[in-house]
Amino acid sequence: MKHLASIATAAALLAPTFARAGDPATIIETPEQQKERMAWWHEAKFGMFIHWGIYSVVGGQYKGKELPNSAEWMMCRGKIPIAEYSKYAEQFNPTKFDADNFVKMAKDAGMKYMVITAKHHDGFAMFDSCWGEYDVVDATPFGRDIMKELSRACYEQGLRFGFYYSQAQDWHHPGGFGNNWDKSLKKVSSDVYANEKVIPEVEQLLTEYGPISILWWDTPRNMSPEAFAGIYSLKSLQPGIITNDRLGKDIPGDHKTFERHIPDRGPVDKAWEVCMPISGSWGYKKIDTDFKSTTTLIRNLADIASKGGNYLLNVSPTGEGVILPQAQERLKQIGEWMRVNSDSIYGTTGSPFKKLDFGRCTKKQYAKGTTLYFHVFDWPADGKLVIPGLKNEIKQAYLLDGWKPLETTQDETGTTITVPKDAPDAINSVITVQVAGKLEVEQSGIVQNQDGSVDLPAADAYIHNNEGSQDAALQDRGDEPDNIGKWTDKEATVEWDFKLTQPGTFDVIANIALEDDSALTFTVNGETVKTKVKATGGYGSYTEQTLGSFSTTAEGNYNIRLKPDAKNWKPVNVRGLKLITK
Ligand code: H79
């Protein structure tokens, strides 16, 4: 359905009245206010992502052939002309779709919010778009507004609802990014695209679809400051809406987005979410049987919560409107686990322990104490669960399943909880421990050698790779030492925590291999040192190079972070750092 009025309002009124994204004028709330706005999201921890579009009709197959990669990318991967691809709409008739049922499935799994593709890169609107007729209501035999049905069902069942909207790529609009295969497309600027499609469509989504809690942008591209400002400003139409960090490079959004991959550690001082398909593909793909096990999914949820993040788990409805039985079964099993253990997920914050051999920890802090939830993946065969480094006195400990009290002993070597012989849950048994007073956990971690030096090997590094890409990842080299490699991303950083008992001045020595001269920085104690590294003759030729030095005067916990010096950065492989006293 085309509404001309809407186009005029959005383009003419909204765009010019807002400051450019990133301008101080756009910072309209304090960090505390932002925290308050996001309180429900932090509490929620777990949401359902849905990728659904006209690609779902063919399940990744084109002209009898399998296209590689995720099914929603098929138009691009198959270089399918618009005229041909748009015909899938004529076959899109998901008569088995039942919005109430989708929402119930999410709710029964313990999910608290739903985010669905209103428009993916293919440009097809899964709602009655005001931009034209390329949408589910006008172009398909189904003729129903799927977004409206889901929004209403979420509202009725008390689930938060949000839209995924691909704001930059559009393989159907002449001003969208991405389509370089269909020569019939007479290209126009992305400003035209933003003004005539993105802004009106998103305005419509934020005004005609009830309360919208999330706008989930994807694949940022360079658009004009005016286009960014116009799109960014739309969020004022839904007070309290939460947006991710994928609108544009300099527009931070409310939370960072990791795709398909769980970071070693969450970003500091920034909300974050991991999105991941339950199988291999985001959109429904016939041959995709790569479903993650229920064990993996439940442990992922605990892992992410233990690092302070949210989990947005994707399912892929078919062209008939059905969520596959494999996905349904897993959601049901997660729900069964959540019915017993959700106290250990909802409203929790990250673990105070860096690493626990047996599993993960989440916590809730109160004025006079803390509740710790130990997620035990590997149940102790000897009936003794050892908690390293916990200094607080334990008030009580019990199995979350059935509240069975457990005995604990505490001495200098640590805290031990006596547990039943058999794990109550083969995947993740939760033990709740209440402690009083300010939480005190002594970290075992990297400590100084006798001679005062400190070894920081690749395997002990925390790697922060942008959006969970495989850039800057730990490479397992078998008999050779592991290294951090494929570090092509200038935004990726690598850090180590260590403890100094003998402070002093240290040289920072990198064990490093690189093809071209490169430049990076290291930061210790808030002080950053810029440094250059020399080509070593190849990515397999390691040498030791001194990056610089730093001084400390106090004993205690420290952290060193390596970061590309963006201007002169060339990829490096790093086996680790060594700190040597001067
Ligand atoms: O909607 C899902 C993806 O389709 C979308 N983000 C999630 C939430 C996404 N778009 N782009 N990307 C993710 C990253 C780009 C991946 C690519 Fe490829 C690698 C593009 C081309 C090579 C994977 C392989 C997708 C197509 C081929």
Side-chain angles (χ1 to χ4, degrees), residues 48-52 56 94-107 109 111 114-116 146 150 159 278-279 282-285 291 313-332:
M48 178 181 273
F49 209 1
I50 302 178
H51 275 64
W52 201 14
S56 310
T95 48
K96 294 188 178 155
F97 169 59
D98 175 354
D100 290 328
N101 187 248
F102 273 30
V103 176
K104 185 167 186 304
M105 247 181 253
K107 236 186 132 164
M111 292 157 159
M114 177 180 281
V115 180
I116 181 159
I146 288 176
L150 280 170
L159 216 69
I278 198 165
S279 54
W282 295 101
Y284 167 62
K285 190 168 182 174
F291 283 85
L313 181 61
N314 181 77
V315 295
S316 327
T318 65
E320 290 190 304
V322 171
I323 292 176
L324 289 182
Q326 297 96 312
Q328 289 202 37
E329 187 194 358
R330 284 158 177 80
L331 293 177
K332 210 168 141 253

Side-chain angles (χ1 to χ4, degrees), residues 289-357:
T289 53
D290 196 11
F291 283 85
K292 292 166 185 72
S293 67
T294 303
T295 302
T296 299
L297 297 168
I298 289 174
R299 290 183 178 177
N300 280 351
L301 178 61
D303 184 25
I304 294 165
S306 81
K307 295 167 181 171
N310 276 21
Y311 195 21
L312 186 62
L313 181 61
N314 181 77
V315 295
S316 327
T318 65
E320 290 190 304
V322 171
I323 292 176
L324 289 182
Q326 297 96 312
Q328 289 202 37
E329 187 194 358
R330 284 158 177 80
L331 293 177
K332 210 168 141 253
Q333 288 165 346
I334 298 170
E336 282 159 14
W337 184 88
M338 285 292 270
R339 261 184 288 290
V340 175
N341 297 294
S342 66
D343 278 359
S344 69
I345 300 290
Y346 298 142
T348 59
T349 51
S351 175
F353 301 89
K354 275 185 190 138
K355 230 176 197 156
L356 291 169
D357 291 339

